[in-house]
Amino acid sequence: MSNNILEITSHQAAGGPAKRQKVVHHRDPPRRPRAARIFAPFRTVGLVSPTSVPFTSLPLGKTTFQITTSVGRCLHTYDLRRGLNLVFISRPQTPALITATVAWKEQVLAAWGGKAPEDDIGVWAFERGKKSGELELPHDLHEPIEEIVAFGSWIIGRCSNRIEVWKSAKYEHYTTITPTPSRGTARGNLLSGGICNIPTYLNKVLVGKKDGSVDLWNVSTGKLVYTILPPNLDSGAVTALQPTPALSLVAIARADGSISIQDVRTDKAVLELRHRDRNGASISSISFRTDGHGAGEDGREPGIMATAASEDSDVTLWDLNNGGRVVGILHGAHNPPSAHWRGVSVSGGISKIEFLPGQDVMITSGLDNALKSWIFDANSLSTVPRILHSRSGHAAPVTKLGFMPTNSEDADSTGKWLLSAGRDQSLWGWSIRRDGQSSELSQGPVRKKAKKLGLLSKTLEMDSSVKLEELKAPEITCFASSLNRDGGMGATPGAGRIWANVASKKGTNDTSESGSTGWESIVTGHRGDKYARTWFWGRKRAGRWAFETGDGTEVSAVAVSSCGTFALVASIGGSISMFNLQSGILRQRFPAPLTSAQAKKLKLTDPDTQKPSPLMPHFGPGEGRHRRAVTGLMVDQLNRTVISCGLDGKIKFWDFHSGMLQDEIDWSPMTAITAAAYYKSSDLVALSCDDLSIRIVDTETKKLVRELWGCTGQISDFCFSNDGRWIVAASMDSVIRIWDLPTAHLVNAFKVESPCTALAFSDTGEYLATAHADSVGVNLWNNRTLFTQVPTRMIRDDEIIEATLPTTSGEDGEGLLSAAFEDIDTAVEGEDNLLTENDSSAVDTLSNDLLTLSLVPKARWQTLLHLSEIRARNKPKEPPKAPEKAPFFLPSLANGEDAGQLKALTTGDSASKDSSATSNANSRIFRPSLTSTSRSQFTALLHAFTKSADQDPGPFLAHLSSLAPAAADSEVRSLANFVEMTAFVQALTARLRQKRDYELVQTWMSVFLRCHSGEIIGSGEQVEVLGEAMGEWRREQGREGRRLGELVYSHKISHIYFDGFLPQTKREIRLARLESLLRGLVITQDQYSGGFAVPQSTDDRLYEPADLFNSTRSLNPPLRKIPTPPFLVSAVLDALAQSRYASVTKVVPGEADFFCAQATKDLGGIVLTSDSDMLVHYLGDDGSVIFLHHLEIRSEPTRETQKCNSLLIGIVQRPAEIARRFRLPNLQRLAYEIKIDPTVGFLEALSRTRQPIEDPTALQDFLKDYTGATCDSTLDLLADQPLHPTSFLDPRLSEFVLQFNHHRNEDIIIYLPFLMDDPSRSSAWNVSFSLRQLTYNIFASCTPNYPTSITEVSRKGFRMLPCAFHLSSSSIQDSIDSLLSNLKATKAYFSDVPPVLQYRIFALLESLRWYRSSDRNLPSRSSLTSALTNDYPKSSLTWTEIHLEAQYHAVLYALRMLKQSTSHILAHKVGRDTDLMKITETLVDLPPLEALMPSRVETRKSFEKADLDTSKLFQFLNGQIGTSE
């Protein structure tokens, strides 16, 4: 008030006229508590109508209405036309709780305060969510304003004992009306409830009183006009007043349940009604329907009235015609109030009902935090409306929170959805980005379901006393989720009942439909219930299954595997069960029960194996069950291990597949474990204990790695941060604490107004969500470390600060922009006497072997790295424009006082200059002395580093890291000479050697190289010194890079082996495989005799390759019989030859399995293969195997870019470890027993390995393939051979070369790749016989003592048969000349087309020559054109066209064989050099297989690009084969 007095005094002293001052209450703004350093309040979600303040409606034209509700200290405005979408949130929030609201014109008036003695009182006006005015209040007002009415030029506020009147024009207080109490009525709370004006009654209001009477006041004169007395003394207080659509009539409701329609002019009751409620609830809200319908026999007459009570959940509809009667009751419009049902109080009841003017729509709000709109159907036989729109939230405090994980296909939804469970037995999904998308997960038609199950009789069904809580699922105590199998809105919910217990049912479930559309993704546990229930997240509804615990006790913990297929349920009795979410069938128990068959088989084993040993698990089947309640349940990412903990103080590690207990950690009786949280990326488990500590366990080493202390109350909830660096915990002492895991320090703690009962950290790291004991909303906090500098030093217990909770409007919170532009000088307020985060000595490294990053915010060093791009982007696009001329109506500054002001503006005085200088000095933008001061300090510290004995760059680099990005860039550029440059590089090298500030060192070096690269590449003595320093940096960088590579990327590809030769023992297997492919081809042709449908679209996406590891494409069963691509291995070899893996790729002279086993035994590592025989080979003690079908790729989105980091994950199997577990020297004997008797069980085969071998010779023959005996003999035969296979020969050709070299009168057999041709015709390989024969004859001519014949295995009709032919070198020259002539003619004639088309034309030409020579009908022109261009005019691909395409594939591959053979022979310098060189030179442009045999779209595009004339093509073909067809 002192400031206002000074202003008045100075004004009067200046000679101004004195006037009566408006008296306005000035309240000092409350001191804002200090914000938490890491988390800043953002906003609150989940609040719709949680208070008893009635809503108010505002019509917007004739099309829509805006509904405004109170959520405490803010107003929410919803648009009815948009489906009750939230459109405005009022700001600023009121200083105290809102007590009454009313919509008036385009504004909403809100009264606040007075509930508590220390509260101020006020009335604010809001327009479109913004404060537009404030009503003047009298000095003596100390009561809360409970109702507001606005009409005409008046605003009326009703308190408990007085009525305040304002003029609506200027919000001035007009008068105060104080009613006198009736005789025998106490003074306090005179006005009980209800105030309204009557249309056409000027300046008149009706006010209900506690004695049951209603006063009619003239607010203009402040006089009592009339009093309407109650019908009897026992009527009770007036509870509601509402004028009717008929003039002079008003509805009066009293506490005894009576409703009187009173004529104000005559003071007579027109109609008397009585609301019958067996709970004794009195009516608190009345509304009249004004659209002229709803009443009468046909529903086309006016006269409908609706009533509701705050202690009831029903809306009663009255027909006021013919004496009045109840025509309908809307049961359960809102949740009924619950009087501590099962110890839980759930808010309920109806706060207000209102018919919208002229509409058949009714609005209701309830104490259950819900706002609903109802519509009356015109042609419906029911008088009860149906729901139109609904916005709601939890009706009781939230008890459990969790952010929904991201599925493998929708990285954009990361951190968007928040799941919450409350004491109101509901499960909600909140959208952080858009409130309108939030919804409750449906539990089905609760009352309809109850009636169908026989739980409600017809009389009870209409009885509102039936508790809604009794029909819902019990309160949720735990939940888990995984969206990798969630089907979204397309998921099949099933036709049966929800939450059906199928674990005990016999038979199987049809899961084919859910297998293609997805299934449930959420599992919940409920208080006092033995069933865990499933939910569909995409469809936001209850699921199909209810999983019963193994011992029939209450569910205590649940988990869902990362793949989304399995749900695990634990109980307070200690049982753990695993169910399949797709089928709902029980799959495993932990521990797995011992069956009678297992018991019999175990009797056959050696009793010594049951003794504990370091190599064998010391827990048998059925052992290790928890003795008390299980409080935590987790599954690792690869579905290998299940982790559980319980009140018995034990942490148990179970095998996921067998259910056997692998290991356990026992902390009993020291402490009991109350809850657990799992961070999958680092395999860390955090466990809260009853001694108020949080302990961290590494699941890989099974060791305790951290203990976190500091909580003084029971730990209510805790979680990991998104990067696993922090543990955030809430306790019942109302304090939220944050620990840093690497240092185990408490880095932040703040106290809130009420205890936090649940919290969750978003996967993106943006938000921390908290729920509190006295609120039904969910509070969101911003993570300030993402966008500003935050000190994270260790704090003491006395440094815990008090923080304000977020608000629904976000006021007093901190958003991204506000924090990002926060002044640097105030960012670390209160930390002046502490070490800053830029001081490198503030944080010690845990070990000298660990690489330590700096504490500088990521945004700062990334800005320095891209400073030039940022400057270019922020460069003005156009020069600044001159200001426009002032409008003509503004006064000019020509003379007098205005001229003096102009002079002051142009010249200024010293005071203004000093002020400007002070302002500039404090400005973040204009700091003229910053550069010069920091530069001198930068140079001084750099020279001090060079002169120091210990060469410690800490002080110099600490100063550099404290500079802003622009200043740091300027300092690096200012390095003036080679001495300073050399010292700078040496400082960075020394820091790199210390393994400190790794990312900053890399950034500074990048900036240095960008600025001074020209000086580095110069010449001179000083440049040489700088070059030596750069060389030392490079060596140190290389050493550190290799060390990091070994730590981060622990596996690299060292060898890629392909089979180059298969022994004779595998010939029968190969022939059987070829026969199997042929049978599949015959079946395919039989089922698709007319050919295959060909897509006519040219969209390349139709031919995109499937993901190698994550493909979900499936073929029809007949199409699965189609043979695999015949030249796939050869195409892969071509790709590897052009990749960075060329040096490690080899086609080995034997089976690749042996070479992989040998390399793994010598070097260690992992073998990636699809052959299960790899486990039988000896891989050494550290060798491992990963099967290709076990691999999958996980994508992890990054915040900086739109790309995703891919992670290859697989199941590692170590044969040596497996053998040790079964007390076997290796797995070879076990594999032998399974091979000789495939029907034997595993345990039986294991028992046979401990018995003497019956046939040692057969065992030795079996082991030859795994000991390398076959491969060793092959290598011995190659010792003196002139032709030796190279790395990139095709496997078929490599096998042929090896056989040719050491045939020794044995048959040389080559197995041609299986082509997909027409099995009813001759083999497509026949057209390229002459080319293959030339290849074989060339080898024969270059090899002494060559074999006389060779045998090819290919299709002959419907059989795979060998075909032998003789080798001869006599006709080689003629064949070579003919081939070269034809190739040159083709290339010359089509010189203007790419080589790919030239060779495809040559392949067609060779095919036609074969047709001609074998007297067969030539293919049609359309078939030839389609085969060449892959453009089929018809809608189907016929077998004739398939066969023709296979024929020219055979020709193209024969050319490849010829090219590889001649190149291979010339490389070994043997044979006919001249002719072979001609062949090599002619085939030098033969493209790889990927180009020769492209996809349909690629072929057609290349043909269109070449613009080949088909008439020219057929003219050439006719000329070559000598025909005119």
Side-chain angles (χ1 to χ4, degrees):
M1 293 295 293
S2 59
N3 291 337
N4 290 335
I5 294 174
L6 288 176
E7 289 176 4
I8 295 171
T9 304
S10 61
H11 183 76
Q12 293 174 351
K19 59 181 288 187
R20 181 174 63 89
Q21 299 296 312
K22 181 194 301 185
V23 180
V24 179
H25 283 290
H26 293 273
R27 58 187 306 273
D28 295 331
R31 182 181 178 186
R32 180 180 174 183
R34 291 177 57 193
R37 290 187 299 180
I38 295 180
F39 296 106
F42 178 45
R43 68 187 185 98
T44 303
V45 298
L47 298 180
V48 177
S49 177
T51 67
S52 59
V53 178
F55 69 88
T56 182
S57 63
L58 179 66
L60 295 182
K62 298 180 179 180
T63 58
T64 186
F65 293 80
Q66 286 186 350
I67 314 299
T68 301
T69 64
S70 169
V71 294
R73 296 166 61 188
C74 292
L75 298 176
H76 281 192
T77 301
Y78 301 90
D79 193 330
L80 181 62
R81 184 173 58 181
R82 300 181 185 178
L84 291 180
N85 237 16
L86 181 64
V87 291
F88 300 120
I89 300 178
S90 64
R91 298 188 69 173
Q93 64 178 4
T94 57
L97 294 178
I98 295 174
T99 57
T101 62
V102 67
W104 175 68
K105 295 184 178 180
E106 295 182 353
Q107 296 180 333
V108 176
L109 302 176
W112 51 267
K115 292 291 186 180
E118 66 274 9
D119 284 351
D120 290 330
I121 300 173
V123 181
W124 287 0
F126 294 93
E127 184 174 353
R128 297 179 64 87
K130 296 181 180 179
K131 180 182 176 183
S132 59
E134 182 176 355
L135 272 65
E136 177 187 359
L137 296 180
H139 293 284
D140 58 345
L141 179 61
H142 303 292
E143 300 178 9
I145 300 175
E146 298 175 354
E147 284 186 83
I148 302 180
V149 176
F151 63 95
S153 60
W154 306 102
I155 299 175
I156 315 298
R158 181 192 65 80
C159 304
S160 58
N161 290 295
R162 56 194 287 173
I163 302 171
E164 302 294 341
V165 183
W166 292 272
K167 297 289 288 185
S168 61
K170 297 183 179 180
Y171 299 154
E172 294 181 344
H173 185 260
Y174 181 76
T175 187
T176 298
I177 298 176
T178 306
T180 58
S182 302
R183 184 176 302 175
T185 304
R187 179 72 183 175
N189 297 329
L190 177 63
L191 306 178
S192 61
I195 182 172
C196 69
N197 73 300
I198 305 177
T200 71
Y201 280 60
L202 296 178
N203 307 329
K204 307 297 191 302
V205 293
L206 291 172
V207 182
K209 299 173 67 175
K210 189 175 182 180
D211 58 1
S213 62
V214 178
D215 288 348
L216 177 64
W217 290 88
N218 187 321
V219 296
S220 177
T221 61
K223 295 182 178 180
L224 178 64
V225 178
Y226 189 76
T227 299
I228 301 175
L229 299 177
N232 53 69
L233 297 178
D234 299 330
S235 298
V238 175
T239 58
L241 286 175
Q242 183 65 30
T244 68
L247 296 180
S248 301
L249 298 184
V250 62
I252 305 174
R254 293 181 173 85
D256 62 348
S258 63
I259 306 173
S260 174
I261 307 298
Q262 195 83 13
D263 190 336
V264 178
R265 291 181 303 175
T266 62
D267 190 18
K268 292 183 178 180
V270 177
L271 191 64
E272 292 284 348
L273 304 173
R274 181 166 295 276
H275 176 255
R276 303 183 183 277
D277 187 272
R278 67 189 188 94
N279 295 326
S282 56
I283 294 174
S284 59
S285 181
I286 302 174
S287 182
F288 293 91
R289 185 172 174 178
T290 58
D291 64 337
H293 296 284
E297 295 295 334
D298 56 356
R300 299 182 182 274
E301 298 180 9
I304 289 295
M305 178 182 70
T307 61
S310 60
E311 299 177 358
D312 196 4
S313 62
D314 301 338
V315 176
T316 304
L317 300 173
W318 305 77
D319 185 350
L320 301 183
N321 298 299
N322 302 322
R325 61 188 179 90
V326 175
V327 295
I329 298 178
L330 177 60
H331 290 282
H334 291 266
N335 287 351
S338 174
H340 298 279
W341 186 77
R342 293 188 179 180
V344 179
S345 178
V346 179
S347 299
I350 299 177
S351 58
K352 183 180 179 180
I353 58 173
E354 180 180 338
F355 284 100
L356 296 180
Q359 305 292 326
D360 55 354
V361 176
M362 180 178 66
I363 307 296
T364 64
S365 66
L367 299 178
D368 57 350
N369 192 25
L371 177 67
K372 299 180 181 181
S373 63
W374 309 82
I375 187 168
F376 292 82
D377 292 327
N379 299 323
S380 175
L381 298 178
S382 175
T383 58
V384 178
R386 60 177 175 85
I387 189 72
L388 181 61
H389 304 116
S390 175
R391 287 296 299 269
S392 57
H394 284 288
V398 178
T399 58
K400 195 68 178 177
L401 289 174
F403 280 90
M404 291 298 294
T406 307
N407 61 6
S408 57
E409 298 178 357
D410 188 11
D412 183 62
S413 64
T414 304
K416 173 183 178 181
W417 291 100
L418 176 65
L419 203 64
S420 68
R423 294 180 179 270
D424 58 348
Q425 302 166 241
S426 64
L427 183 64
W428 275 83
W430 303 103
S431 173
I432 305 301
R433 302 177 187 174
R434 188 173 181 181
D435 287 339
Q437 295 178 348
S438 303
S439 63
E440 180 183 0
L441 274 67
S442 171
Q443 299 187 26
V446 177
R447 287 187 176 270
K448 180 179 179 181
K449 177 184 66 175
K451 179 182 177 182
K452 185 176 181 181
L453 296 178
L455 299 179
L456 293 177
S457 64
K458 292 185 178 180
T459 56
L460 289 178
E461 184 187 6
M462 301 300 294
D463 189 354
S464 62
S465 64
V466 176
K467 300 294 184 183
L468 182 64
E469 292 86 348
E470 297 176 2
L471 307 176
K472 284 187 173 183
E475 175 190 345
I476 296 174
T477 57
C478 55
F479 60 74
S481 61
S482 174
L483 298 182
N484 285 330
R485 295 293 184 181
D486 185 79
M489 287 300 296
T492 302
R497 297 176 300 176
I498 64 172
W499 293 333
N501 180 22
V502 302
S504 60
K505 295 184 179 180
K506 296 182 180 180
T508 58
N509 299 299
D510 184 10
T511 60
S512 58
E513 190 172 2
S514 63
S516 60
T517 62
W519 49 82
E520 294 92 328
S521 53
I522 301 175
V523 179
T524 56
H526 303 261
R527 188 178 304 279
D529 194 359
K530 65 178 180 179
Y531 293 104
R533 292 168 166 81
T534 62
W535 307 73
F536 287 98
W537 168 248
R539 299 181 65 89
K540 302 295 189 298
R541 55 154 290 176
R544 299 167 294 171
W545 317 125
F547 300 137
E548 185 178 2
T549 56
D551 54 4
T553 58
E554 178 183 343
V555 176
S556 60
V558 293
V560 178
S561 61
S562 298
C563 63
T565 305
F566 300 99
L568 289 89
V569 180
S571 71
I572 62 175
S575 70
I576 303 174
S577 305
M578 181 172 69
F579 299 86
N580 187 295
L581 279 172
Q582 181 183 7
S583 63
I585 298 176
L586 175 67
R587 291 302 186 190
Q588 187 60 271
R589 295 194 187 277
F590 303 89
L594 185 63
T595 63
S596 57
Q598 290 175 335
K600 292 179 182 179
K601 292 180 180 180
L602 286 178
K603 292 180 180 179
L604 301 176
T605 60
D606 189 354
D608 294 337
T609 60
Q610 303 300 323
K611 297 179 180 180
S613 68
L615 301 178
M616 293 287 291
H618 55 279
F619 302 101
E623 297 180 355
R625 176 187 172 118
H626 283 280
R627 299 303 177 186
R628 296 183 64 188
V630 178
T631 55
L633 195 58
M634 298 141 284
V635 185
D636 70 341
Q637 292 194 94
L638 298 180
N639 288 358
R640 295 181 303 179
T641 306
V642 175
I643 307 166
S644 63
C645 60
L647 293 178
D648 55 2
K650 295 182 180 181
I651 309 167
K652 297 180 182 291
F653 302 86
W654 310 85
D655 182 80
F656 183 87
H657 301 284
S658 66
M660 296 275 290
L661 182 62
Q662 296 176 328
D663 205 346
E664 74 172 19
I665 301 174
D666 191 356
W667 290 343
S668 63
M670 176 181 64
T671 186
I673 303 171
T674 57
Y678 183 41
Y679 186 68
K680 295 182 178 180
S681 298
S682 58
D683 288 327
L684 294 179
V685 174
L687 306 112
S688 62
C689 304
D690 60 357
D691 57 1
L692 306 184
S693 69
I694 298 178
R695 293 175 169 87
I696 314 298
V697 172
D698 188 339
T699 60
E700 287 292 330
T701 61
K702 311 295 191 299
K703 293 182 179 179
L704 177 67
V705 294
R706 291 289 186 274
E707 287 189 0
L708 309 177
W709 299 85
C711 294
T712 58
Q714 179 184 353
I715 300 173
S716 55
D717 200 4
F718 64 99
C719 65
F720 282 93
S721 63
N722 66 308
D723 57 359
R725 184 179 179 87
W726 298 334
I727 286 288
V728 185
S731 54
M732 298 309 294
D733 55 1
S734 301
V735 178
I736 298 177
R737 295 174 173 84
I738 301 96
W739 286 273
D740 183 66
L741 276 185
T743 60
H745 291 167
L746 180 66
V747 295
N748 194 16
F750 56 94
K751 189 171 185 178
V752 291
E753 300 171 4
S754 62
C756 176
T757 57
L759 53 81
F761 212 107
S762 67
D763 292 341
T764 59
E766 296 177 90
Y767 304 111
L768 174 71
T770 61
H772 298 267
D774 60 350
S775 174
V776 295
V778 178
N779 299 310
L780 296 178
W781 307 74
N782 269 327
N783 182 4
R784 302 177 70 246
T785 61
L786 295 180
F787 42 78
T788 189
Q789 177 181 346
V790 176
T792 54
R793 64 171 183 83
M794 182 178 179
I795 66 171
R796 301 182 302 272
D797 291 341
D798 57 355
E799 295 181 77
I800 299 177
I801 64 174
E802 293 186 1
T804 56
L805 289 173
T807 62
T808 183
S809 63
E811 187 180 357
D812 293 336
E814 187 168 345
L816 296 178
L817 292 178
S818 61
F821 290 100
E822 183 182 17
D823 198 313
I824 297 176
D825 297 333
T826 61
V828 289
E829 181 183 357
E831 305 290 335
D832 298 336
N833 299 324
L834 304 173
L835 291 172
T836 65
E837 60 184 356
N838 294 324
D839 189 354
S840 59
S841 61
V843 178
D844 295 329
T845 56
L846 300 179
S847 172
N848 293 330
D849 295 331
L850 296 179
L851 185 69
T852 304
L853 302 180
S854 71
L855 296 180
V856 174
K858 186 177 182 180
R860 177 178 292 186
W861 59 263
Q862 283 192 339
T863 301
L864 175 60
L865 196 61
H866 303 285
L867 192 60
S868 58
E869 290 87 346
I870 295 175
R871 285 172 173 169
R873 183 187 61 195
N874 296 339
K875 185 178 180 181
K877 297 181 179 179
E878 58 184 10
K881 297 180 180 179
E884 298 180 358
K885 294 182 180 180
F888 69 91
F889 51 80
L890 292 181
S892 62
L893 301 177
N895 49 37
E897 183 180 356
D898 294 340
Q901 294 179 1
L902 176 62
K903 182 178 180 181
L905 290 173
T906 55
T907 60
D909 53 18
S910 59
S912 64
K913 292 181 179 179
D914 294 340
S915 175
S916 176
T918 304
S919 175
N920 289 337
N922 294 330
S923 173
R924 297 177 57 197
I925 301 176
F926 181 72
R927 294 181 182 176
S929 62
L930 178 63
T931 304
S932 59
T933 303
S934 60
R935 179 174 300 151
S936 60
Q937 186 178 1
F938 174 87
T939 306
L941 290 174
L942 182 59
H943 285 288
F945 160 72
T946 59
K947 296 178 182 179
S948 62
D950 55 354
Q951 293 284 306
D952 182 18
F956 165 68
L957 296 181
H959 169 71
L960 182 58
S961 64
S962 65
L963 299 179
D969 180 80
S970 176
E971 293 294 358
V972 176
R973 291 179 183 273
S974 67
L975 295 173
N977 51 60
F978 289 101
V979 176
E980 291 183 356
M981 293 181 192
T982 304
F984 184 78
V985 174
Q986 291 174 348
L988 296 187
T989 305
R991 198 60 163 178
L992 186 63
R993 195 176 289 115
Q994 292 176 351
K995 301 179 178 63
R996 306 283 293 271
D997 302 336
Y998 185 78
E999 81 281 20
L1000 286 183
V1001 171
Q1002 302 298 321
T1003 302
W1004 291 328
M1005 178 54 73
S1006 299
V1007 176
F1008 174 79
L1009 293 176
R1010 185 169 60 237
C1011 298
H1012 302 287
S1013 57
E1015 292 87 344
I1016 296 175
I1017 61 177
S1019 60
E1021 182 179 351
Q1022 292 182 334
V1023 176
E1024 293 180 359
V1025 177
L1026 178 59
E1028 293 177 359
M1030 289 298 301
E1032 180 61 26
W1033 156 268
R1034 183 177 180 181
R1035 287 188 291 272
E1036 187 63 34
Q1037 174 77 354
R1039 284 193 293 268
E1040 191 63 22
R1042 287 190 296 271
R1043 190 178 74 90
L1044 287 179
E1046 293 174 357
L1047 293 175
V1048 179
Y1049 307 103
S1050 56
H1051 301 291
K1052 66 177 183 178
I1053 297 177
S1054 58
H1055 298 286
I1056 300 177
Y1057 292 132
F1058 288 87
D1059 294 333
F1061 179 80
L1062 294 180
Q1064 294 184 3
T1065 56
K1066 296 295 182 72
R1067 290 183 176 178
E1068 294 183 359
I1069 298 176
R1070 298 177 69 176
L1071 187 60
R1073 290 178 179 175
L1074 291 174
E1075 292 282 358
S1076 176
L1077 292 175
L1078 179 56
R1079 287 194 297 271
L1081 181 61
V1082 173
I1083 293 174
T1084 304
Q1085 190 205 30
D1086 182 62
Q1087 296 190 0
Y1088 292 88
S1089 58
F1092 300 93
V1094 177
Q1096 298 302 312
S1097 174
T1098 59
D1099 192 352
D1100 293 353
R1101 291 174 295 179
L1102 292 174
Y1103 302 94
E1104 289 181 353
D1107 191 336
L1108 180 60
F1109 299 108
N1110 293 339
S1111 176
T1112 57
R1113 300 184 184 178
S1114 59
L1115 295 173
N1116 294 328
L1119 293 180
R1120 295 174 185 171
K1121 299 294 184 179
I1122 294 179
T1124 56
F1127 310 116
L1128 179 61
V1129 175
S1130 300
V1132 171
L1133 277 171
D1134 284 343
L1136 290 173
Q1138 303 299 323
S1139 70
R1140 58 193 177 104
Y1141 300 110
S1143 59
V1144 298
T1145 303
K1146 293 180 181 179
V1147 180
V1148 296
E1151 290 189 275
D1153 292 358
F1154 171 75
F1155 288 86
C1156 291
Q1158 191 68 27
T1160 307
K1161 181 178 65 175
D1162 297 338
L1163 304 176
I1166 300 176
V1167 180
L1168 298 180
T1169 181
S1170 58
D1171 193 351
S1172 60
D1173 288 351
M1174 203 68 232
L1175 293 174
V1176 187
H1177 287 272
Y1178 179 63
L1179 307 180
D1181 293 337
D1182 298 327
S1184 305
V1185 176
I1186 295 180
F1187 294 115
L1188 294 177
H1189 61 275
H1190 288 163
L1191 287 176
E1192 63 176 309
I1193 293 180
R1194 300 269 178 92
S1195 297
E1196 297 180 353
T1198 59
R1199 188 188 309 276
E1200 295 80 8
T1201 64
Q1202 299 297 326
K1203 298 180 178 179
C1204 293
N1205 294 329
S1206 296
L1207 188 64
L1208 192 63
I1209 299 176
I1211 301 175
V1212 180
Q1213 303 185 42
R1214 296 181 176 87
E1217 179 65 23
I1218 297 173
R1220 280 195 293 269
R1221 287 179 177 270
F1222 294 116
R1223 299 181 63 86
L1224 298 174
N1226 51 56
L1227 299 179
Q1228 294 175 354
R1229 174 68 187 279
L1230 181 61
Y1232 170 76
E1233 296 294 341
I1234 295 176
K1235 181 182 179 181
I1236 62 175
D1237 188 2
T1239 61
V1240 69
F1242 178 78
L1243 292 179
E1244 180 63 27
L1246 183 62
S1247 64
R1248 291 182 183 179
T1249 58
R1250 297 182 173 88
Q1251 300 174 6
I1253 186 66
E1254 297 180 359
D1255 189 355
T1257 304
L1259 177 61
Q1260 293 301 322
D1261 294 340
F1262 171 78
L1263 296 179
K1264 284 181 180 181
D1265 293 335
Y1266 304 104
T1267 57
T1270 305
C1271 192
D1272 289 340
S1273 63
T1274 304
L1275 295 176
D1276 293 340
L1277 292 171
L1278 291 175
D1280 299 327
Q1281 298 299 329
L1283 296 181
H1284 214 281
T1286 58
S1287 296
F1288 288 100
L1289 282 181
D1290 284 352
R1292 307 286 177 157
L1293 194 58
S1294 172
E1295 187 175 21
F1296 167 73
V1297 172
L1298 289 174
Q1299 292 183 86
F1300 213 92
N1301 284 329
H1302 61 86
H1303 59 90
R1304 295 186 179 180
N1305 298 323
E1306 296 179 356
D1307 294 336
I1308 297 179
I1309 301 179
I1310 181 169
Y1311 293 85
L1312 295 177
F1314 189 88
L1315 292 174
M1316 182 177 173
D1317 54 6
D1318 188 350
S1320 63
R1321 306 187 183 192
S1322 60
S1323 175
W1325 282 112
N1326 294 342
V1327 299
S1328 64
F1329 173 74
S1330 60
L1331 293 174
R1332 299 197 310 276
Q1333 188 178 33
L1334 176 60
T1335 303
Y1336 304 147
N1337 288 332
I1338 289 176
F1339 264 101
S1341 65
C1342 300
T1343 307
N1345 301 323
Y1346 62 86
T1348 59
S1349 65
I1350 188 171
T1351 301
E1352 287 185 339
V1353 178
S1354 62
R1355 183 179 61 82
K1356 302 296 181 184
F1358 296 99
R1359 293 291 306 276
M1360 298 300 299
L1361 298 174
C1363 178
F1365 53 88
H1366 292 282
L1367 298 178
S1368 174
S1369 59
S1370 60
S1371 60
I1372 292 180
Q1373 189 63 47
D1374 296 337
S1375 299
I1376 292 176
D1377 294 340
S1378 175
L1379 171 65
L1380 295 179
S1381 175
N1382 293 333
L1383 276 173
K1384 291 178 180 179
T1386 304
K1387 292 183 177 183
Y1389 197 85
F1390 298 98
S1391 58
D1392 56 342
V1393 301
V1396 172
L1397 286 180
Q1398 291 176 358
Y1399 283 103
R1400 291 174 67 89
I1401 293 172
F1402 176 79
L1404 283 181
L1405 178 60
E1406 287 296 306
S1407 300
L1408 293 177
R1409 292 182 190 275
W1410 177 82
Y1411 276 99
R1412 194 70 170 173
S1413 62
S1414 58
D1415 295 331
R1416 298 174 184 267
N1417 294 329
L1418 294 176
S1420 63
R1421 286 196 175 195
S1422 60
S1423 298
L1424 292 175
T1425 305
S1426 300
L1428 179 64
T1429 63
N1430 265 335
D1431 189 7
Y1432 300 100
K1434 296 179 293 184
S1435 61
S1436 63
L1437 176 63
T1438 64
W1439 283 96
T1440 300
E1441 294 161 340
I1442 294 173
H1443 194 78
L1444 183 59
E1445 187 171 357
Q1447 286 176 331
Y1448 76 77
H1449 280 180
V1451 176
L1452 293 174
Y1453 188 73
L1455 289 175
R1456 176 184 174 90
M1457 293 175 62
L1458 181 61
K1459 178 183 178 180
Q1460 286 193 355
S1461 300
T1462 55
S1463 301
H1464 177 66
I1465 294 173
L1466 289 174
H1468 290 80
K1469 300 185 185 302
V1470 295
R1472 303 162 59 94
D1473 292 348
T1474 304
D1475 294 333
L1476 297 185
M1477 289 181 64
K1478 290 181 180 179
I1479 297 176
T1480 304
E1481 292 173 356
T1482 305
L1483 296 176
V1484 68
D1485 58 348
L1486 181 68
L1489 286 177
E1490 182 182 7
L1492 282 174
M1493 306 173 185
S1495 69
R1496 175 191 172 199
V1497 173
E1498 292 171 345
T1499 303
R1500 187 168 61 253
K1501 285 183 177 180
S1502 62
F1503 185 80
E1504 293 173 353
K1505 185 177 180 181
D1507 194 18
L1508 180 62
D1509 187 0
T1510 55
S1511 61
K1512 179 181 177 182
L1513 169 66
F1514 288 109
Q1515 181 181 356
F1516 170 75
L1517 295 178
N1518 291 333
Q1520 290 294 317
I1521 63 175
T1523 180
S1524 59
E1525 297 181 9

